[in-house]
Amino acid sequence: MTEPRIVDRAAQPYVFIRRRVPMSRLGELVEVHGQVFGWLAEHDVPPAGAPFWKYNVIDMARELEIEVGVPTATVPTGDGEVRGGILPSGRYATAGHTGHPDELMEVTSRFLRWAETEGLQFDRADASDGDHWTSRLEIYETDPAEEPDLAKWHHTLAFRLT
């Protein structure tokens, strides 16, 4: 994990498909990237950045609500399962990681411990169905077509602060 830091992020339009899955089926979301990119190509909307997973609700024992998204220059209307939205601007805690995506759970745990040590407060709330996050992102910076070795992939964590 790279040294965590605090950055200001501008609002970012994006398109996404939202899914609710138990932790045991998280890997199924990988296929959703193709659906989102397919929609972008079909509608002549170019990506404006790296794809990401936005964790909306986390209940590790039951299920997670995740948006598989891709930044765009403007907010597309979307159709079917594909929706348009805007990632909120604000202060974000961020850290990078190079390695297999399977390592992200441990990297995220270290990142959360760092934030707690620093006294940072994330923009999130507890609810009966899990932890609700305003903007908790795993950004997949590496294009698999250019780098097939998962151990060399770069990811960025970006979690919005209060």
Side-chain angles (χ1 to χ4, degrees):
M1 182 171 80
T2 62
E3 185 68 30
R5 59 191 181 107
I6 308 300
V7 300
D8 289 317
R9 289 177 55 101
Q12 175 66 63
Y14 71 111
V15 293
F16 64 92
I17 294 176
R18 183 178 296 140
R19 291 280 198 268
R20 294 185 75 88
V21 296
M23 191 66 188
S24 63
R25 292 187 18 229
L26 196 61
E28 294 175 13
L29 296 181
V30 172
E31 297 173 9
V32 179
H33 285 280
Q35 292 174 267
V36 176
F37 278 108
W39 186 93
L40 288 169
E42 183 179 308
H43 291 82
D44 294 320
V45 178
F52 57 85
W53 287 6
K54 179 177 177 281
Y55 290 77
N56 293 332
V57 182
I58 299 173
D59 181 336
M60 299 294 275
R62 290 183 284 183
E63 70 179 4
L64 303 100
E65 180 185 284
I66 298 173
E67 294 175 7
V68 176
V70 176
T72 55
T74 60
V75 182
T77 305
D79 56 36
E81 283 191 293
V82 177
R83 302 278 178 242
I86 299 178
L87 296 173
S89 64
R91 292 176 56 239
Y92 283 72
T94 66
H97 167 259
T98 300
H100 198 287
D102 288 348
E103 299 169 0
L104 284 171
M105 186 182 239
E106 173 57 30
V107 170
T108 300
S109 293
R110 286 188 297 168
F111 182 62
L112 292 171
R113 285 192 302 272
W114 166 82
E116 184 177 350
T117 301
E118 295 295 314
L120 300 173
Q121 299 289 319
F122 291 111
D123 192 357
R124 55 167 295 284
D126 293 325
S128 62
D129 64 339
D131 297 333
H132 288 244
W133 293 75
T134 301
S135 190
R136 177 177 167 157
L137 307 173
E138 277 181 6
I139 305 167
Y140 298 90
E141 308 282 356
T142 304
D143 182 344
E146 293 177 14
E147 178 53 71
D149 184 353
L150 277 69
K152 295 179 180 177
W153 283 14
H154 183 74
H155 315 91
T156 299
L157 302 177
F159 298 4
R160 189 168 191 259
L161 299 167
T162 56

